[in-house]
Amino acid sequence: MDEEKPVRHILSLSGGKDSTALAIYLRDRVENMEYIFHDTGKELPDTLEYIERLESYLGTKVVRTTTRETFDDILRSKGGMLPSGRRRWCTDYLKLKPFENYIGDEPCVNYVGIRADEDRVGYISHKPNIKAVFPFREDGIDYDGVVRILEEAGLGMPPYTEWGRTRSGCFFCFYQQKIEWVRLKQNFPELYDEAKAYEKPNRVNGQVFYWTDEPLEDLEQPERMESIEDNWNKMRERKKARRGNQPLVKTLGGLEIDDTPRDGCLICQL
């Protein structure tokens, strides 16, 4: 009779606040935890720096998973059609596929960083050998609890929140808000230019696909950026008037942190 395979314990990191806090929270609670990070090759420098700081805290290496095909390889196979909310192939090829390939067919407990104050499911594998668990939800840890865990560990919030990014993910993620594109242009103009260079006619029908509902070439014009900033500040003031002032940690970089669940890259949102 074959011996049962040992159960692996795996925490998939995104470089965001919730999965990082969960890694800290479980460090002394789960033995032989494996930490993995799905590196798309298009990550923000801030994200990579945050992962390195977490490695120092954990005292162990975070495994970087990749696929043989890069983002550019897959984009060519798609005829140059950029990913979008309707064509979310980047998540499948660059996040979910390497995650499931890394686990294989071995029994696994997958630790997911969804908080107690969130009403979403996140990525749940349909493979029978992967069981998802939600420690924060089970232990009643909400947003403030996550921030407290990060501060007490000395890591603090991800560095990209200081200049106005709300979550981890590729620097050209199509789920970004307009103000986040403005912040990217201001803080990483070379990455903005790289994202803009992808907006060109595809090989299928010659149509130009854009990351957002307007070309990045238009969005980066000074008057347009000023308009986006002005609209954002007005909206933020209206929100303050309705809900009162938010804690400083939620307004880092002048950009209110948005914890509203979105149908984005489900692993990235952890």
Side-chain angles (χ1 to χ4, degrees):
M1 184 175 178
D2 294 336
E3 293 185 6
E4 291 187 7
K5 295 181 179 179
V7 177
R8 298 170 65 185
H9 297 267
I10 296 179
L11 198 161
S12 183
L13 295 157
S14 68
K17 64 185 185 306
D18 294 336
S19 62
T20 300
L22 184 61
I24 295 168
Y25 184 71
L26 296 178
R27 184 185 68 169
D28 300 321
R29 290 177 167 85
V30 178
E31 293 185 2
N32 301 317
M33 180 75 84
E34 298 177 52
Y35 305 96
I36 60 176
F37 171 65
H38 311 296
D39 191 348
T40 64
K42 300 298 180 179
E43 310 292 337
L44 285 165
D46 285 0
T47 301
L48 300 178
E49 175 196 336
Y50 201 51
I51 291 290
E52 291 175 359
R53 287 165 54 189
L54 177 61
E55 284 180 319
S56 297
Y57 179 87
L58 296 174
T60 189
K61 190 72 176 174
V62 173
V63 176
R64 273 70 165 174
T65 66
T66 58
T67 58
R68 291 184 178 181
E69 292 183 303
T70 65
F71 174 86
D72 293 330
D73 292 332
I74 302 170
L75 180 62
R76 281 191 290 270
S77 73
K78 299 293 182 182
M81 292 188 292
L82 294 177
S84 68
R86 294 182 179 180
R87 301 180 303 274
R88 205 167 57 193
W89 53 258
C90 50
T91 300
D92 292 335
Y93 284 91
L94 299 174
K95 294 290 184 178
L96 307 186
K97 185 177 179 180
F99 172 70
E100 295 190 341
N101 286 345
Y102 178 80
I103 294 173
D105 295 324
E106 296 178 283
C108 162
V109 177
N110 177 34
Y111 296 83
V112 183
I114 293 180
R115 305 188 310 267
D117 57 339
E118 291 185 287
D119 183 20
R120 65 184 178 98
V121 176
Y123 166 70
I124 303 297
S125 176
H126 295 294
K127 296 185 68 173
N129 59 305
I130 302 176
K131 175 187 176 183
V133 295
F134 307 89
F136 282 165
R137 182 171 288 172
E138 294 168 2
D139 295 347
I141 296 176
D142 58 8
Y143 178 92
D144 292 335
V146 162
V147 172
R148 185 165 54 250
I149 289 170
L150 294 173
E151 290 178 342
E152 290 176 353
L155 269 71
M157 292 286 282
Y160 51 75
T161 61
E162 296 176 5
W163 53 267
R165 174 94 169 196
T166 61
R167 61 188 64 211
S168 59
C170 298
F171 64 82
F172 48 49
C173 182
F174 46 83
Y175 282 104
Q176 290 182 91
Q177 302 169 64
K178 291 290 180 70
I179 190 65
E180 292 177 283
W181 281 108
V182 171
R183 299 288 194 253
L184 182 68
K185 173 68 176 179
Q186 293 169 337
N187 290 273
F188 290 98
E190 71 284 0
L191 296 183
Y192 188 97
D193 288 343
E194 186 176 338
K196 184 174 63 174
Y198 283 109
E199 298 186 333
K200 58 186 179 182
N202 73 83
R203 297 197 312 272
V204 176
N205 56 18
Q207 180 181 350
V208 180
F209 291 93
Y210 303 110
W211 293 114
T212 182
D213 60 1
E214 64 181 297
L216 292 185
E217 186 174 358
D218 292 347
L219 193 150
E220 70 176 336
Q221 299 304 311
E223 63 275 11
R224 178 62 180 130
M225 291 177 64
E226 183 178 351
S227 173
I228 292 171
E229 289 266 16
D230 185 56
N231 288 336
W232 177 261
N233 287 329
K234 289 178 180 178
M235 180 181 68
R236 189 159 162 261
E237 289 303 317
R238 287 196 297 270
K239 285 185 177 181
K240 279 186 178 181
R242 288 198 304 267
R243 300 187 299 187
N245 291 332
Q246 293 206 2
L248 177 62
V249 71
K250 285 198 173 187
T251 57
L252 290 173
L255 178 60
E256 184 176 359
I257 292 176
D258 177 14
D259 274 324
T260 303
R262 287 182 252 171
D263 292 328
C265 181
L266 298 180
I267 285 185
C268 291
Q269 289 189 6
L270 303 184

